[in-house]
Structure formats: C-alpha cells, structure tokens
Amino acid sequence: MATGRTHRPATRSRGIPEATVARLPLYLRALTALSERSVPTVSSEELAAAAGVNSAKLRKDFSYLGSYGTRGVGYDVEYLVYQISRELGLTQDWPVVIVGIGNLGAALANYGGFASRGFRVAALIDADPALTGKAVAGIPVQHTDDLEKIIQDNGVSIGVIATPAGAAQQVCDRLVAAGVTSILNFAPTVLNVPDGVDVRKVDLSIELQILAFHEQRKAGEEVAADAGLPAAAAAAVRKQSADQGPDGDVPAVMPA
C-alpha cells in the first residue's frame, strides 16, 4: 500500500498555479455530490455555481488539467472526479498523525470524512500520560515520547498539530526532523519550517474576526439606509464603520 512517503502530488511539476490548486477541492466536493446523485455530466456554469466561483475561472482551472469538456454536453462528472483526485494525490492512501488530543484533536480524530477523501488517521499523539492508551475514535492515544518512532513505523508525511500555541513549534520541529513534510496547523501561532515543508494554517478566531468585520459593515449600511442617506453619504458611513475600533473610536495610529 502506498504511504505517500516518496510520492508527492503532481501539481507543482505540471505548473498548476497555487490558486488553482486551492480551488480543486471545491470542485471535487461539488462533483462528488453530483456523482452521488448519479448525474452523468455538468456544464461549467452549473459546476461553477456549485463551487462558488465564476465559470471562466473554472474553465481556466480545468485547462491546466487538460480537461476542456464537450461543447453542448459539458464535463463528464466521474472522469473529473478521478482526474482531480489524481492531481490532488487522493488516489493513494495518506497516513496522517494528529498531535494534541484535547477537545479539538479528539474532534478531528472523530471526523468521518478523512477516509473517504484519501486520508487515514494512523496515530493519535499527546503529551499527557493520562491519555496514553485511551481510545479516541477507536485509536489508542500514544505518548509524544514515541513520536519519531510512530512517524517512521507508519511512513507518515502529513502531520496535524492541534496543541496549545506554546507547544506547537517544538512539535513541528520534531515532526519535520522525523520526516514529515506537510503540516496542517490548528494551533494559534505561526510555525517556522525549513524549505520543502508545506504548512497550512487553520485559525478559527481569525475567520470569526473577518466575519465580525463584515457584520460591522452591514450594520453601517443599515444605519445609513434607516437614516435615508444618499449613496455617497452611505459609503462614508460604511468607511467610518470599518475604520473604527472595537469601542467605536478611530484608531490612534492610521495607515499611511
């Protein structure tokens, strides 16, 4: 069984832009839903709408895969599922370790979508001796003292860090030294890694802050609308709302 240790995704060697790579999972999710409904073909417009992108961008992305569809028919759903899965490296088994089995780590371990998407949780690792041997999602938790051996024994190249921020960099360093070359980081900190190691960061607090920004702007628009302000004045209210701090004060230091 392939472990992913010596096989890297083909996207970089084929010159596919990173922005396109980031959209491929969106297309795959939409296509998988169509496949589950036994839909044989889909137009670029329909697929783009389902993936949340515009159709011109979708067609450009698919051109990097060598897939152009058929005029008047569209794209073959099953073939695209296979093609994108192959480009993303999902046609082989990718063993993953999760380090940090607190609430978040345990939730990730219990996530049922890994296996169906080409990933296998090979091991759960935590520094708390009280957790050692405890089964989470049917997998016994192992102690961080054995991290390097676990990586080697399972041929792991992808690690998930769900530790507190203070422990994340040390865990990252040990994963990299053991041979892990891709890391998904849930810890609220920036990791420093050497060249050749890929890091994807998931920060829930940042995503919530971005949503708060949009909520604040919408609130400004509603105030302007309720006041019956003209468009130009409404725009000024929206800008003022965006420039204000959390207590409604304009920040003391403004950008140049």
Side-chain angles (χ1 to χ4, degrees):
M1 178 180 292
T3 63
R5 164 67 61 189
T6 58
H7 295 85
R8 304 290 290 166
T11 52
R12 292 180 182 176
S13 62
R14 291 179 55 155
I16 299 179
E18 287 294 330
T20 296
V21 174
R23 287 188 290 270
L24 291 182
L26 302 179
Y27 301 141
L28 182 59
R29 181 172 60 190
L31 286 162
T32 300
L34 292 171
S35 176
E36 291 172 349
R37 302 204 313 265
S38 299
V39 176
T41 60
V42 61
S43 70
S44 59
E45 289 78 12
E46 291 169 333
L47 183 54
V53 304
N54 67 65
S55 58
K57 184 174 292 182
L58 177 144
R59 288 190 292 269
K60 178 67 173 178
D61 288 341
F62 284 0
S63 72
Y64 291 111
L65 308 181
S67 185
Y68 299 94
T70 303
R71 184 179 296 276
V73 176
Y75 295 92
D76 183 286
V77 170
E78 292 298 334
Y79 179 68
L80 268 184
V81 167
Y82 165 75
Q83 196 174 27
I84 295 176
S85 296
R86 182 186 62 189
E87 288 297 331
L88 290 173
L90 304 182
T91 54
Q92 57 185 309
D93 177 54
W94 293 96
V96 174
V97 296
I98 301 174
V99 185
I101 312 303
N103 291 334
L104 177 57
L108 292 171
N110 278 285
Y111 174 57
F114 285 128
S116 63
R117 289 167 173 81
F119 302 95
R120 172 175 55 86
V121 178
L124 306 177
I125 305 173
D126 198 277
D128 185 356
L131 289 177
T132 301
K134 178 182 178 182
V136 176
I139 304 172
V141 177
Q142 302 180 68
H143 197 269
T144 49
D145 287 349
D146 300 320
L147 183 148
E148 288 78 9
K149 184 176 187 300
I150 294 167
I151 298 298
Q152 295 296 327
D153 288 351
N154 291 279
V156 173
S157 59
I158 300 177
V160 178
I161 296 178
T163 66
Q169 185 62 57
Q170 181 182 15
V171 168
C172 174
D173 293 342
R174 289 183 64 187
L175 288 173
V176 171
V180 168
T181 51
S182 292
I183 293 173
L184 181 60
N185 178 33
F186 284 89
T189 187
V190 176
L191 299 177
N192 295 312
V193 297
D195 291 341
V197 176
D198 296 311
V199 176
R200 299 287 296 183
K201 180 172 175 55
V202 180
D203 194 319
L204 301 180
S205 64
I206 286 179
E207 298 303 323
L208 285 171
Q209 288 166 9
I210 292 171
L211 288 175
F213 166 82
H214 290 296
E215 285 300 313
Q216 180 175 249
R217 288 179 66 87
K218 284 185 281 189
E221 291 172 357
E222 290 172 1
V223 168
D226 290 342
L229 296 177
V237 170
R238 289 196 299 271
K239 183 178 188 305
Q240 180 182 9
S241 176
D243 288 343
Q244 287 178 342
D247 297 321
D249 299 325
V250 176
V253 179
M254 300 296 290

